[in-house]
């Protein structure tokens, strides 16, 4: 048996006397999976994702990456936030290259080539010299994605990264993120409360209950709508059917405790 | 677009209407000139006693005379040097300590109450103590200026650091940056624009304390010039000294604003 890639082992979390994650949460995420954590705001799904980044600690239990317990943050597990996602004092290219400052295994030329590669990957080559306040919110999120990849992250931890974008830009970025994830063969944990976004992006969705977070449903999306996520898929019967079934689960989650 | 039957506001006075910069500068200069002319006329017409309020033309002439024949310029130099040294000392101490107070909570917890207490002590009240400790040499002046600015500045720096979004710290750490690298490459860079603003404001305070220090315990500097002139009822010399401080303030402030615009072009789109 091969070692599981990323594993949550009996995680619980309490803040003071408030249960955030309970009962103990366990989940195994294979390599290269696009995992979406879906659930109501404030349910604790973000806390679980942040634990993978080393930005939060569990009260009990542990998370293991390739069999090793996760500790302090490092460049293998990169965060992409919804806001303040790029550094305003650096140009787009400097932002993308930022994480490589801490890598001593790369030469200067390699760093520059890598930065170029990822700028191209997210379609920002023409904006390399611009400052973030001169580009759109969608482009700033592309900068954040490129920067995380350039730093060498294996796992991207994305906290509602497209939440502040308008519908069109959001859709565009979803298409690209999915393409990039497959091309670069990265593992992603993507947190959202948007059902449509979850179904379109995910290989697999975990639907969370309201706080304290627990798994309501574990959905194998690829098994139902396939791997190839063309834009037209969003109007296909399989997609719509899956979306409405997920929507019902989410609604039930909200109703169950009220 | 003007709506029919409805009066539009006059062009310059619409609420929050932006003003072209040449108009703004024109208005600023015109206002200053108008005030100066009004002042000049009041004195020329004998409405005020020149012993109490000399005309602007007299003040300018006095400034010229004091610069060429007197010792206005060396005294100005002495004052500028005192402000520069004390301010540099304040800033060099306040920036690292302020940042440390914000990011290392135990340091903040220890220093905050002490600084808050000292911050409320009025500098003039400490002049006697300062003279007892340091005499009336340069140390007293530097000490008073430092006292008046350091404790304010350190809290401003701590606050600026607090305001750096936590996301920046977290992003940097998940990109592989170590704590000191995060401070150097992210926290300081993120707060730099407001830091420069706060330094500019604090530098202005230095002049207030300087004059107090030079009046009570000095035989050089602009405060000394002003105080000596007062003793001989040379009002125009008093005002020449005051105007000189105003000019220095205006020039440094404008320089620092320009520097701010140049350094932080990425913020001004």
């Amino acid at each position: 048996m091969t070692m599981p890639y990323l594993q949550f082992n009996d995680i619980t979390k309490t803040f003071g006397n408030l249960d955030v994650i309970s009962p103990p949460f366990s989940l195994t995420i294979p390599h290269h999976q696009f995992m979406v954590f879906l659930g109501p705001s404030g349910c604790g799904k973000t806390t679980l994702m942040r634990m993978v980044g080393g930005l939060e600690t569990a009260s009990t239990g542990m998370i293991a990456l390739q069999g090793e317990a996760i500790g302090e943050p490092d460049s293998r597990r990169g965060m992409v936030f919804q806001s303040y996602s790029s550094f305003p004092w650096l140009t787009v290219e400097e932002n993308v290259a930022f994480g490589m400052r801490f890598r001593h295994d790369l030469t200067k030329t390699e760093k520059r080539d890598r930065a170029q590669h990822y700028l191209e990957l997210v379609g920002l080559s023409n904006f390399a010299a611009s400052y973030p306040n001169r580009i759109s919110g969608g482009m700033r999120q592309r900068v954040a994605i490129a920067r995380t990849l350039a730093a060498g992250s294996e796992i991207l931890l994305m906290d509602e990264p497209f939440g502040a974008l308008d519908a069109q830009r959001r859709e565009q970025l979803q298409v690209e993120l999915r393409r990039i994830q497959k091309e670069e063969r990265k593992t992603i944990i993507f947190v959202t409360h948007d059902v449509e976004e979850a179904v379109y992006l995910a290989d697999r969705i975990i639907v969370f209950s309201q706080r304290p977070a627990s798994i309501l449903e574990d959905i194998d999306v690829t098994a139902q709508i396939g791997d190839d996520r063309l834009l037209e898929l969003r109007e296909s019967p399989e997609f719509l059917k899956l979306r409405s079934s997920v929507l019902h689960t989410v609604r039930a989650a909200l109703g169950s405790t009220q | 677009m003007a709506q029919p039957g409805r009066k539009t506001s006059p062009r310059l006075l619409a609420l929050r209407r932006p003003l072209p910069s040449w108009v703004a500068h024109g208005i600023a200069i015109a206002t200053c000139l108008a005030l100066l002319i009004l002042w000049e006329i009041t004195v020329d017409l004998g409405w005020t006693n020149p012993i109490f309020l000399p005309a602007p033309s007299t003040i300018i002439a006095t400034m010229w005379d004091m610069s060429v024949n007197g010792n206005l310029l060396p005294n100005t130099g002495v004052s500028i040097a005192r402000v520069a040294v004390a301010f540099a000392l304040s800033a060099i101490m306040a920036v690292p300590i302020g940042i440390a107070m914000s990011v290392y909570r135990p340091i903040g917890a220890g220093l905050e109450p002490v600084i808050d207490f000292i911050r409320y002590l009025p500098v003039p009240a400490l002049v006697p103590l300062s003279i007892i400790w340091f005499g009336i040499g340069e140390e007293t002046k530097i000490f008073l200026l430092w006292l008046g600015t350091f404790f304010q500045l350190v809290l401003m720096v701590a606050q600026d650091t607090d305001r750096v979004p936590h996301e920046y710290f977290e992003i940097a750490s998940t990109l592989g940056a170590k704590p000191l690298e995060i401070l150097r490459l992210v926290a300081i860079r993120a707060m730099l624009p407001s830091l420069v603003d706060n330094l500019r404001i604090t530098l202005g305070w230095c002049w207030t304390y300087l004059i107090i220090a030079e009046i009570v315990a000095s035989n050089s500097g602009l405060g000394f010039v002003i105080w000596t002139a007062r003793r001989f009822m040379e009002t125009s010399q008093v005002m020449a000294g005051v105007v000189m401080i105003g000019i220095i303030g205006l020039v440094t402030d404008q320089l620092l604003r320009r520097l701010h615009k140049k350094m932080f072009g990425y913020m001004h789109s």
Side-chain angles (χ1 to χ4, degrees), chain A residues 200-219:
Chain A
Y200 178 77
L201 283 174
D203 292 323
R204 180 175 168 202
I205 299 174
I206 301 293
V207 183
F208 283 89
S209 67
Q210 280 197 301
R211 197 182 60 223
S214 61
I215 300 178
L216 277 186
E217 214 178 338
D218 182 345
I219 304 165

Side-chain angles (χ1 to χ4, degrees), chain A residues 50 55 73-75 77-79 81 83-89 98-99 101-102 131 133-134 147-148 151, chain B residues 165-178 181 184-187 189-190 265-269:
Chain A
R50 289 170 56 83
L55 302 172
D74 66 38
S75 62
R77 300 157 281 141
M79 255 334 262
F81 290 101
S83 44
Y84 302 112
S85 56
S86 54
F87 299 132
W89 60 90
F98 185 83
R101 281 165 173 267
F102 315 112
Y131 283 100
N133 79 331
R134 296 297 198 87
R147 181 181 53 200
T148 314
Chain B
H166 198 57
E167 281 89 339
Y168 290 167
F169 283 70
E170 296 191 331
I171 289 170
S173 69
T174 66
L175 288 170
K178 298 277 167 287
E181 290 169 329
R184 186 165 59 85
L185 298 170
V186 176
R189 278 315 307 261
Y266 58 84
M267 298 172 69
H268 313 273
S269 45

Side-chain angles (χ1 to χ4, degrees), chain B residues 88-126:
Chain B
L89 191 65
S90 257
I92 288 169
M93 292 176 69
V95 172
I97 296 175
I99 292 174
M101 282 173 65
S102 166
V103 297
Y104 299 113
R105 293 314 303 154
I107 297 180
L111 292 184
E112 247 160 54
V114 182
I115 289 175
D116 262 335
F117 172 74
I118 299 176
R119 188 164 77 96
Y120 280 105
L121 302 179
V123 170
L126 292 168

Side-chain angles (χ1 to χ4, degrees), chain B residues 30-63 234-244 246-247:
Chain B
T31 312
C32 292
L33 283 179
L35 282 171
L36 284 172
I37 291 168
L38 187 70
W39 180 359
E40 186 79 36
I41 291 173
T42 331
V43 180
D44 286 351
L45 292 181
W47 292 350
T48 59
N49 184 345
I51 291 178
F52 295 112
L53 187 69
S57 58
T58 318
I59 295 170
I60 293 167
T62 308
M63 270 184 91
E234 294 280 0
T235 315
S236 66
Q237 287 189 18
V238 171
M239 293 191 99
V242 172
V243 169
M244 189 54 119
I247 291 172

Side-chain angles (χ1 to χ4, degrees), chain A residues 4-8 27-37 65 154-158 177-178 180-182 184-190 198 201-206 218-223 227 229:
Chain A
Y5 181 61
L6 181 65
Q7 202 168 22
F8 294 80
L27 182 72
T28 301
I29 301 178
H31 217 177
H32 314 316
Q33 187 164 62
F34 200 132
M35 167 63 86
V36 172
F37 284 0
L65 177 60
E154 295 169 32
I155 305 178
L156 271 69
L157 304 166
M158 309 186 79
L177 180 62
R178 178 78 196 177
I180 290 168
Q181 186 255 340
K182 293 298 163 212
E184 299 279 320
R185 299 176 57 77
K186 297 294 176 188
T187 307
I188 293 185
I189 301 179
F190 187 107
L201 283 174
D203 292 323
R204 180 175 168 202
I205 299 174
I206 301 293
D218 182 345
I219 304 165
D220 187 342
V221 178
T222 306
D227 212 9
R229 305 293 164 84

